[in-house]
Amino acid sequence: MSQKLNEFKKYLKEMNQYSRVSTLLSWDMYTLTPKAGFQGMADALTYFSTKQFLMSTSDELMELLEALSAPEEFDQLDETMQFTVSRMKRDMEKNRRIPADFFEAFSQEKSASQQAWEEAKRSSDFSVFAPHLEKLIAMTIQQCEYTDPGKEVYDVLLDQFEEGMDSATIDQLFEELKKGLLPLLNKILAAPQPDSSILAGHYPASEQKKVQALLLDYIGFSMDAGAVGESAHPFTSGFSRNDVRITNHYYENNPISAMFSAIHEGGHGIFAQNVNPAFEGTAADDCMYMGIHESQSRFFENILGRNKNFWLPIYDKVQALLPDLAQVSPDDFWREINHVQNSLIRTEADEVTYCFHIILRYEMEQAIFRDHVPVNELPALWNRKMQEYLQITPANDADGILQDMHWSDASFGYFPSYLLGNIYDGMFLEEVEKELGPVDQLLADGRIQEITKWLNRNIHWYGSTRLPKEVIEKVCGREASAQPLLNYFTKKYTAIYQLVMD
Ligand code: ZN
């Protein structure tokens, strides 16, 4: 191994230690840190992530990356190292243009803003969050001007979460979906609805945790390399393929929320646990494209988890753990987990109306970064769009514009990933069925892990080495399209709601 490669690997290892500490701190902040201790943890996180940032932009690293990029060195590297060197060199060139004091100030503002958002949401008072949001928007624009001068800001943001999926492509996919979905949604909403009160009951958190363990094992999340914590909003945090943490939140009057959060976060976790082990500690590890990541969590959550046959092999065990479900037949349960209704909260929405929750947020972000709509006008704009797409107006901002945490840490451009994930899922479903046969049958036969292995083999294994468009091309042999998702919705909901199609 060349001297430079040795030095680079050593440097990378040290950077990874900082990154591990940052991940651990933020995991802790959202699971166990008491309110009074939050600021101390936030300061430590700023300290370590700034160190990590300085290491990722240092002269020493630049010198190493330049040496390894020279053709005689580069050609000797294996593919993983070639990917890592090119990727880090590109990112470094961008990040070196960000002044370190700006990076630190932005990092501090994100922590302050998250706290303000929590307070604003608790008191349903947008004015508490507004000055922070204004600052975050300005700093985000400033950061894009440093990293990608002259480029459209919102495209830079989208690219950070789903590289290569620009707004022209997303506009086209979302438009295709919207056009096909609105008439279907209207038919569903006009049909007789199931009676949600059948799920009324008491579901102790301790028993919900047992159901969660059952579900995670069933879909293929390994507890030898995984752990589950508790937080206000479920999330996944990966340290390496050998240590993937997910969180959940339990409502004792609602058994469904934690089940589907477990399946969703478990799907993210399965991805992280099944990346090629040779990628460990390199830029190829896990997957940095959030649309592709969300496609996996949402494949488990929706395509599999909301299929009646997913539940057939395990439903009696779930009922045994949650006795208040004893009176709910598999059929009634299935209707309830596919109950389509216009509602206020994205994370509680069914898979059909969910699409409109995302389209709304995508348009809001365009309003912020393209049309520069002032922050104080955003709540009213949100409410108008809710009325337009979901015929419902939030009574307060906590149930409206303040419901999601994404903007509180400046994750602008993340939301479209969820819907891109759904759109990819329609395409992946077609491919799974071509190769393995009907998913309905596989699930009924208790062969769900064959589907998990298919996803491991075709998607998870490659970590970050394939860009989103390449994943779609390699797995599906064509460009992204919303049509397969529309076909899936139409077939499924025509059956559930006994719709007459024209
Ligand atoms: Zn997710």
Side-chain angles (χ1 to χ4, degrees):
M1 204 192 298
S2 85
Q3 174 69 18
K4 287 288 170 202
L5 182 57
N6 256 333
E7 281 177 44
F8 176 62
K9 284 191 168 169
K10 225 177 108 191
Y11 196 92
L12 206 55
K13 213 169 176 180
E14 197 182 339
M15 269 180 73
N16 286 337
Q17 306 298 9
Y18 282 102
S19 139
R20 184 178 281 261
V21 173
S22 300
T23 310
L24 185 58
L25 284 166
S26 76
W27 156 269
D28 194 90
M29 277 161 75
Y30 293 105
T31 50
L32 283 172
T33 304
K35 199 171 173 235
F38 196 86
Q39 190 55 47
M41 286 296 186
D43 291 345
L45 179 60
T46 298
Y47 176 85
F48 282 101
S49 55
T50 304
K51 283 272 184 208
Q52 190 192 342
F53 175 75
L54 290 173
M55 278 195 85
S56 74
T57 53
S58 74
D59 292 344
E60 189 186 350
L61 179 62
M62 185 174 73
E63 195 257 315
L64 284 169
L65 289 171
E66 273 172 357
L68 290 170
S69 300
E72 63 278 15
E73 286 274 357
F74 194 78
D75 294 343
Q76 304 298 315
L77 302 175
D78 65 25
E79 272 182 33
T80 313
M81 270 302 145
Q82 288 187 339
F83 176 83
T84 302
V85 167
S86 321
R87 172 62 55 137
M88 287 180 74
K89 186 161 180 284
R90 186 198 68 182
D91 291 346
M92 184 189 63
E93 281 161 359
K94 286 185 183 187
N95 289 336
R96 273 172 73 92
R97 293 195 285 264
I98 305 174
D101 55 353
F102 175 85
F103 181 88
E104 197 174 341
F106 197 8
S107 186
Q108 275 162 355
E109 178 51 41
K110 284 179 200 172
S111 292
S113 172
Q114 274 170 36
Q115 281 176 286
W117 167 74
E118 274 178 31
E119 174 53 34
K121 189 175 169 178
R122 207 170 15 247
S123 54
S124 191
D125 182 356
F126 183 73
S127 74
V128 174
F129 180 50
H132 291 276
L133 181 58
E134 204 163 321
K135 236 190 243 172
L136 284 183
I137 292 168
M139 292 180 103
T140 298
I141 294 170
Q142 176 67 63
Q143 175 152 298
C144 292
E145 279 163 6
Y146 287 133
T147 58
D148 300 83
K151 270 202 191 160
E152 173 87 48
V153 168
Y154 195 50
D155 275 330
V156 175
L157 297 174
L158 291 171
D159 212 56
Q160 284 173 8
F161 292 107
E162 192 69 348
E163 194 177 330
M165 282 287 172
D166 52 23
S167 55
T169 312
I170 297 176
D171 282 347
Q172 194 195 332
L173 288 169
F174 286 9
E175 208 45 52
E176 187 188 3
L177 183 67
K178 202 155 88 175
K179 243 173 71 193
L181 201 50
L182 266 175
L184 177 68
L185 177 60
N186 288 332
K187 278 192 183 144
I188 295 173
L189 293 176
Q193 291 290 343
D195 173 13
S196 298
S197 69
I198 55 163
L199 284 176
H202 179 67
Y203 304 92
S206 58
E207 302 311 295
Q208 292 196 48
K209 287 178 187 173
K210 292 179 191 161
V211 173
Q212 161 183 282
L214 170 79
L215 288 170
L216 289 173
D217 180 59
Y218 181 58
I219 64 176
F221 179 80
S222 164
M223 286 303 285
D224 291 336
V228 186
E230 226 171 309
S231 62
H233 308 276
F235 66 90
T236 301
S237 212
F239 296 88
S240 78
R241 72 197 302 277
N242 298 314
D243 186 352
V244 181
R245 319 254 178 111
I246 63 174
T247 70
N248 209 342
H249 190 84
Y250 311 92
Y251 302 92
E252 297 208 320
N253 62 353
N254 170 0
I256 287 178
S257 172
M259 286 180 192
F260 281 88
S261 291
I263 301 171
H264 178 97
E265 302 306 331
H268 282 302
I270 287 170
F271 196 149
Q273 289 177 336
N274 288 282
V275 173
N276 182 347
F279 296 171
E280 175 115 34
T282 73
D285 206 1
D286 202 354
C287 171
M288 60 182 98
Y289 317 116
M290 288 303 118
I292 294 293
H293 231 303
E294 290 298 337
S295 80
Q296 298 308 289
S297 53
R298 305 183 70 74
F299 196 90
F300 282 99
E301 178 192 349
N302 293 326
I303 307 276
L304 303 179
R306 294 184 203 277
N307 185 311
K308 185 165 80 180
N309 295 0
F310 174 96
W311 295 93
L312 290 182
I314 52 169
Y315 195 67
D316 54 344
K317 291 182 198 150
V318 174
Q319 280 179 316
L321 290 166
L322 301 173
D324 281 4
L325 275 185
Q327 304 309 314
V328 181
S329 71
D331 232 43
D332 287 341
F333 182 76
W334 172 62
R335 290 233 42 197
E336 198 44 50
I337 60 179
N338 291 292
H339 187 168
V340 177
Q341 53 195 329
N342 288 331
S343 62
L344 292 170
I345 308 296
R346 174 186 64 87
T347 52
E348 305 293 330
D350 60 88
E351 61 180 336
V352 179
T353 58
Y354 189 92
C355 301
F356 292 102
H357 285 271
I358 298 302
I359 289 171
L360 174 150
R361 285 155 177 78
Y362 177 60
E363 292 178 357
M364 289 295 295
E365 290 185 339
Q366 289 177 316
I368 294 170
F369 291 100
R370 294 241 163 94
D371 307 335
H372 306 287
V373 172
V375 161
N376 62 12
E377 291 173 21
L378 293 175
L381 182 61
W382 179 287
N383 293 351
R384 275 204 304 281
K385 287 187 182 291
M386 278 300 288
Q387 191 59 46
E388 180 189 342
Y389 288 126
L390 295 163
Q391 288 85 53
I392 182 169
T393 298
N396 56 59
D397 289 334
D399 288 339
I401 192 167
L402 290 172
Q403 66 182 267
D404 295 303
M405 71 180 297
H406 299 58
W407 292 346
S408 76
D409 72 349
S411 296
F412 303 108
Y414 191 111
F415 282 123
S417 316
Y418 296 113
L419 190 48
L420 288 171
N422 284 8
I423 289 171
Y424 304 158
D425 280 344
M427 302 185 75
F428 295 150
L429 173 63
E430 279 187 352
E431 298 306 316
V432 168
E433 297 206 312
K434 263 189 229 163
E435 275 190 46
L436 303 180
V439 162
D440 285 353
Q441 194 59 48
L442 291 163
L443 291 174
D445 294 346
R447 293 159 61 201
I448 184 170
Q449 299 223 358
E450 288 176 38
I451 304 172
T452 304
K453 294 220 163 68
W454 188 95
L455 298 167
N456 291 160
R457 201 164 58 235
N458 287 287
I459 297 164
H460 308 158
W461 182 257
Y462 297 95
S464 281
T465 57
R466 290 175 171 176
L467 290 177
K469 282 185 176 167
E470 289 172 328
V471 176
I472 300 301
E473 178 61 38
K474 296 265 193 223
V475 178
C476 310
R478 60 188 180 120
E479 281 182 13
S481 155
Q483 197 53 51
L485 179 67
L486 284 167
N487 296 344
Y488 157 79
F489 279 147
T490 304
K491 186 173 161 216
K492 177 173 172 177
Y493 289 94
T494 299
I496 294 179
Y497 281 89
Q498 300 175 336
L499 305 176
V500 182
M501 297 316 280
D502 38 39

